Structures are given as C-alpha cells and as structure tokens.
Amino acid sequence: NAGVTQTPKFQVLKTGQSMTLQCAQDMNHEYMSWYRQDPGMGLRLIHYSVGAGITDQGEVPNGYNVSRSTTEDFPLRLLSAAPSQTSVYFCASSFTSGGINSPLHFGNGTRLTVT
Amino acid sequence: LAKTTQPISMDSYEGQEVNITCSHNNIATNDYITWYQQFPSQGPRFIIQGYKTKVTNEVASLFIPADRKSSTLSLPRVSLSDTAVYYCLVGRTSSGGSYIPTFGRGTSLIVHP
C-alpha cells in the first residue's frame, strides 16, 4: 500500500513549456485534489474530483487542467508554464472529500520551478 | 464559506503543553473541525477531528466550546519533533453539496530545547 504517489519530485521548466504532474493513489479513494503551496500562503486548492469522470475548480484553477479517467489517477496539466506557477504542488485523496471520518492523505509533493 | 483564523506563529519549549486556538465564527451547523500537521518538505497529515466538546487521541486533544465559534488544539508535553505547521479546517460546501477541505496559512509552531 503506497498511499498517494506523486511524480516527479522536482521539475524545472522554461516559460511556455507544458508538463503533467502525476498523482496516483492505491486506497480506492473517490476524492482527489491538487493544492499548491507558496511561502507564507498556506495551501491553495487548484482542482478537485469527487469521482472518476467528475472534476471541479478550486480557488486558483487558472493555468491548470485536470482529468479523472480512473479512480486511481488524477494528473495535473500545465499547458503553458509561467513563472507565477513556481510552487510546491501537493496531491491529496480521501474516501469522501476529507469530511467526517475521512481525512485527506497527501503525497510528498512536486517542487516546480519555472524560469 | 467558514473562514478560519489562527495565529501565524508560536514558540514553545520541550516538555510544555501547547494550545493553538482557531477562530471560525461562521461555522455551519453540519461543519466538522479538522486539524492537520505539516513537517518541512512533506505533505500535511491528519491529526484530529471533532464536532463539539472534547476529542482526544494519542497525538492531541481538541476542545470545542458549545458555540463552536472556535476550537483549541492541545499538544501535551511537546518535543522538538512537534515543530511543524498546524492547520485548522472547517468544511465548505461546493455546488454539489460535498465537503471540500480548504486550508488557510496555518500556525507555525517552533519548539525550542
């Protein structure tokens, strides 16, 4: 049982490049989400999914796309990277969106730098 | 949207009890209060969750007064390894009615020798 696995751990992009941050969980969780964490800003919700085929926007969705074709995977796509997207990205999952008796499980993060 | 307010930082010493208070004046009737802990270079991890009165587990205690407009996370006899950022969360409802966890800036606790 690996929990939530994020890849890569580190990534450097040039402005305008695209990439996909991978997130996979093996706990059969319905809810998955992406956060970004910047110094002094806490975690801000980018996108989330309450089940396969269902996604919705969080607080800071601009510049990011997601899809949820399977229960296990929830990739985050940057179509045209910008320096403002330099951040640490965390993926999280839970049985029912982190509510009652359903805490979030986080991955160890992807540190992205856009130059 | 139930907004939470926590102190930005706190300092303590090994062996002391630490209490971190979170204000959530707009908490809804069905909202639960959840606390997470985040160590440097790691994702947050769940500590404790409660609805009212007191909840205790092997890591911490959570005190919630009757009006539920605040909550206090209590860490007994902290050690250097308790140095971390602590987040207080209160649920919000999306358009579909789901509870969507929203994090604030958290409280940075530094435990000194």
Side-chain angles (χ1 to χ4, degrees), chain A residues 8 14 23 58 65 76 81 87 91 100:
Chain A
K14 294 186 177 181
C23 175
N65 284 344
L76 179 71
S87 187
C91 178
I100 302 168

Side-chain angles (χ1 to χ4, degrees), chain A residues 31 35 37 40-43 45 48 50 56-59 90 97-104 106-108 111, chain B residues 30 32 34 36 38 41-46 49 87 89 92 94-96 98-106:
Chain A
Y31 178 82
Y35 294 87
Q37 185 169 38
M41 297 293 293
L43 286 91
L45 183 64
Y48 64 93
V50 298
D56 206 345
Q57 296 181 351
E59 305 167 69
F90 289 101
S97 72
I100 302 168
N101 297 322
S102 179
L104 290 170
F106 281 83
N108 285 326
R111 186 175 296 274
Chain B
N30 295 327
Y32 271 64
T34 310
Y36 289 83
Q38 184 180 24
S41 302
Q42 294 185 25
R45 68 165 189 150
F46 171 83
Q49 185 179 69
Y87 296 94
L89 276 70
R92 78 168 175 89
S94 72
S95 57
S98 301
Y99 167 81
I100 306 300
T102 302
F103 288 77
R105 294 175 60 181

Side-chain angles (χ1 to χ4, degrees), chain A residues 4-7 21-25 32-34 72-76 91-93:
Chain A
V4 179
T5 303
Q6 290 186 238
T7 56
L21 280 63
Q22 301 292 343
C23 175
Q25 52 88 11
M32 297 187 73
S33 56
W34 277 101
E72 294 78 20
D73 300 296
F74 191 45
L76 179 71
C91 178
S93 72

Side-chain angles (χ1 to χ4, degrees), chain B residues 65-82:
Chain B
D67 66 7
R68 304 201 328 122
K69 293 184 182 299
S70 67
S71 58
T72 299
L73 176 73
S74 180
L75 305 172
R77 299 183 59 80
V78 294
S79 64
L80 296 178
S81 63
D82 291 314

Side-chain angles (χ1 to χ4, degrees), chain A residues 12-113:
Chain A
V12 179
L13 292 178
K14 294 186 177 181
T15 298
Q17 287 185 318
S18 63
M19 79 159 295
T20 299
L21 280 63
Q22 301 292 343
C23 175
Q25 52 88 11
D26 61 359
M27 298 172 283
N28 201 30
H29 285 170
E30 289 295 324
Y31 178 82
M32 297 187 73
S33 56
W34 277 101
Y35 294 87
R36 62 175 288 174
Q37 185 169 38
D38 303 299
M41 297 293 293
L43 286 91
R44 292 184 291 171
L45 183 64
I46 305 173
H47 285 285
Y48 64 93
S49 169
V50 298
I54 305 169
T55 63
D56 206 345
Q57 296 181 351
E59 305 167 69
V60 288
N62 293 339
Y64 307 95
N65 284 344
V66 292
S67 60
R68 184 91 180 273
S69 57
T70 67
T71 299
E72 294 78 20
D73 300 296
F74 191 45
L76 179 71
R77 297 184 185 84
L78 284 71
L79 297 179
S80 180
S84 60
Q85 294 178 304
T86 294
S87 187
V88 180
Y89 292 83
F90 289 101
C91 178
S93 72
S94 64
F95 282 111
T96 57
S97 72
I100 302 168
N101 297 322
S102 179
L104 290 170
H105 296 255
F106 281 83
N108 285 326
T110 295
R111 186 175 296 274
L112 174 67
T113 301

Side-chain angles (χ1 to χ4, degrees), chain B residues 3 9 19 27 49-50 53 69 92 103:
Chain B
K3 180 180 177 180
S9 63
N19 295 310
I27 189 169
Q49 185 179 69
T53 63
K69 293 184 182 299
R92 78 168 175 89
F103 288 77

